[in-house]
């Protein structure tokens, strides 16, 4: 009986120590998160702005871009299964551009995440890949940081283009009957980004006025 009592007492004591340790550790991690969260969020915002600045010159708008957005729900035209954000750039209150989060769902390695800027005049400000799993040294030239041609990166060919210049049916790589270049041996990656960019342009043309008129932060 004594041995049984001692074993039970020891087990309870050990369990109690573990509970106290767990609670203390949880509290410590929670406090750490609260302290570091502002820095993490600031870093994320900075990184997002760097990407946006690549497709939209900072001098082309004067509003606080990341605070002026609409929340898109699942939107097949933009490749968004779970939704995303569409940012509105304005200058002196006048619409300047829309910046879309978009996804090309059919890359060689899976989904290719994009940020695409479309000016109020319907012309592309630029396209950037934000995440992908394309083959290193082959299909990853869709990302200008990986493109070996630093003078004329592949993705730069979209800048300034619009549906007025290129009909929707022509937003394809040349191999598929369109007008856009691609690199031999990595057609799928280029095809996915080109097709997705064309779809974003069509969506922007159709919904431009409604997107700029929507309340900040509202869902569409």
């Amino acid at each position: 009986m004594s041995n049984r009592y001692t074993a039970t007492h020891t087990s309870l004591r050990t369990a109690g120590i573990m509970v106290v340790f767990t609670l203390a550790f949880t509290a410590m991690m929670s406090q750490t998160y609260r302290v570091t969260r502002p820095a993490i969020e600031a870093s994320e915002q900075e990184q997002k702005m760097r990407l946006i600045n690549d497709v939209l010159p900072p001098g082309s708008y004067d509003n606080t871009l990341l605070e002026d957005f609409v929340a898109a729900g699942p939107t097949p035209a933009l490749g968004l299964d779970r939704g995303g954000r569409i940012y509105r750039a304005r200058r002196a209150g006048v619409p300047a551009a829309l910046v879309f989060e978009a996804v090309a769902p059919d890359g060689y390695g899976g989904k290719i995440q994009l940020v695409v800027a479309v000016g109020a005049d319907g012309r592309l400000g630029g396209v950037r890949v934000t995440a992908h799993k394309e083959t290193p040294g082959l299909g990853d030239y869709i990302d200008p940081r990986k493109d070996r041609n630093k003078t004329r990166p592949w993705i730069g060919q979209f800048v300034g283009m619009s549906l007025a210049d290129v009909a929707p049916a022509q937003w394809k790589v040349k191999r598929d009957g369109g007008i856009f270049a691609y690199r031999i041996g990595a057609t799928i990656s280029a095809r996915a980004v080109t097709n997705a960019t064309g779809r974003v342009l069509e969506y922007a043309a159709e919904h431009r006025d409604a997107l700029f008129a929507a309340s900040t932060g509202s869902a569409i």
Side-chain angles (χ1 to χ4, degrees), residues 16 44 49 98 105 109 113:
E44 290 174 347
M49 280 308 305
L98 294 166
Q113 297 181 34

Side-chain angles (χ1 to χ4, degrees), residues 19-43:
V19 168
V20 171
F21 175 80
T22 300
L23 291 174
F25 179 76
T26 301
M28 182 181 68
M29 291 303 295
S30 178
Q31 178 63 21
T32 299
Y33 175 74
R34 284 196 296 270
V35 171
T36 60
R37 181 179 178 182
I40 293 173
E41 291 180 346
S43 177

Side-chain angles (χ1 to χ4, degrees), residues 164-193:
D165 303 312
V166 184
Q170 294 297 303
W171 276 87
K172 304 174 182 177
V173 295
K174 291 179 180 179
R175 182 172 181 174
D176 297 336
I179 71 160
F180 293 99
Y182 65 97
R183 304 273 172 83
I184 295 175
T187 309
I188 295 175
S189 305
R191 175 186 291 132
V193 173

Side-chain angles (χ1 to χ4, degrees), residues 140-181:
D140 63 351
Y141 68 85
I142 58 174
D143 182 346
R145 295 171 299 181
K146 303 294 180 63
D147 195 333
R148 295 174 183 173
N149 188 340
K150 300 302 181 183
T151 304
R152 298 183 63 186
W154 174 83
I155 207 163
Q157 67 183 311
F158 300 120
V159 176
M161 303 296 284
S162 71
L163 295 179
D165 303 312
V166 184
Q170 294 297 303
W171 276 87
K172 304 174 182 177
V173 295
K174 291 179 180 179
R175 182 172 181 174
D176 297 336
I179 71 160
F180 293 99

Side-chain angles (χ1 to χ4, degrees), residues 60-89:
S60 63
Y61 61 93
D62 58 13
N63 62 319
T64 305
L65 190 64
L66 295 184
E67 295 179 5
D68 191 347
F69 68 91
V70 291
T75 310
L78 301 177
L80 301 175
D81 295 333
R82 299 182 179 181
R85 288 187 174 186
I86 302 170
Y87 300 96
R88 286 98 54 97

